[in-house]
Amino acid sequence: DMDTFINGKVTITGNRTFGVPSNVRPGRSGVIKVTASGGTRSINTAASGMISVNISWPISIPSGQTLRLTYFEDESNNVWINSATLNAA
């Protein structure tokens, strides 16, 4: 739900797949921070609704590291992942 996860952060203890986003608002943008705990974790995207260019999915996140995803919501109810940067937590 994009209404409740603006500039959100989450710690994952297992591999995860982003679902199809809901409550998309055209023009809104933000950052999603995903931190891996207890081992290397991977994240992937749903088949539709999240679009990225030049980003290879799934993305592996070493334990204790944080992945920062920047995004933009468009008028077609899609969430565009603009960048994926891995940094220490």
Side-chain angles (χ1 to χ4, degrees):
D1 184 342
M2 297 306 291
D3 269 343
T4 59
F5 207 67
I6 303 167
N7 295 320
K9 63 181 178 178
V10 64
T11 298
I12 58 174
T13 58
N15 299 333
R16 298 288 182 262
T17 298
F18 287 113
V20 176
S22 61
N23 295 317
V24 173
R25 291 191 184 164
R28 186 167 50 184
S29 61
V31 176
I32 299 171
K33 295 179 183 179
V34 182
T35 301
S37 179
T40 297
R41 308 298 179 198
S42 66
I43 61 168
N44 210 343
T45 60
S48 63
M50 296 189 89
I51 302 169
S52 59
V53 179
N54 298 323
I55 297 174
S56 297
W57 298 93
I59 298 173
S60 292
I61 310 167
S63 186
Q65 298 279 310
T66 298
L67 179 70
R68 288 164 178 80
L69 300 169
T70 61
Y71 69 88
F72 175 80
E73 300 174 34
D74 73 11
E75 57 281 340
S76 298
N77 292 324
N78 293 308
V79 175
W80 287 81
I81 304 297
N82 302 315
S83 68
T85 306
L86 189 62
N87 295 327

